[in-house]
Amino acid sequence: MKSQHHRRLPWLAAFAIAGLALTAAWGASASARIISVQGGEINVSISFNTQMPLGDTTDQTLMNTQKRGRTFVYRMAREECALLKAIIAETCRLTSLNVSSQLRNQHSKQPVSLYVNGSARYLITLKKF
């Protein structure tokens, strides 16, 4: 039984990565990577990225846009366990979450945008297929 589980793991990993990459929304992107396998538990790392155009760079606009960007990443991270459980995971637990933002194109002819990036790590156990 155990050897069958290990033979299925590369297929499951590829399936998980393909499925998780489809979570992109609102001009955002997401990517996934299975980090390690230990005792039936797998660490999955997900990245979320979005670009948010800014009308101006006032403090109030930057603060509101950063808040919307963080909210987007937090929602994506919250919903990821449900997606993992629907596809490959028997159990899922968020173990870490990071969010950062960067202001870009301040001095070019392109509109100023705020890039918001997030990464989350989950500990899952695989469903038995």
Side-chain angles (χ1 to χ4, degrees), residues 18-26 28-31 46-48 72 76 80 83:
L20 294 172
L22 295 176
T23 62
W26 302 340
S29 64
S31 62
I46 311 292
S47 297
F48 309 103
F72 165 77
M76 293 291 286
E80 201 63 37
L83 179 61

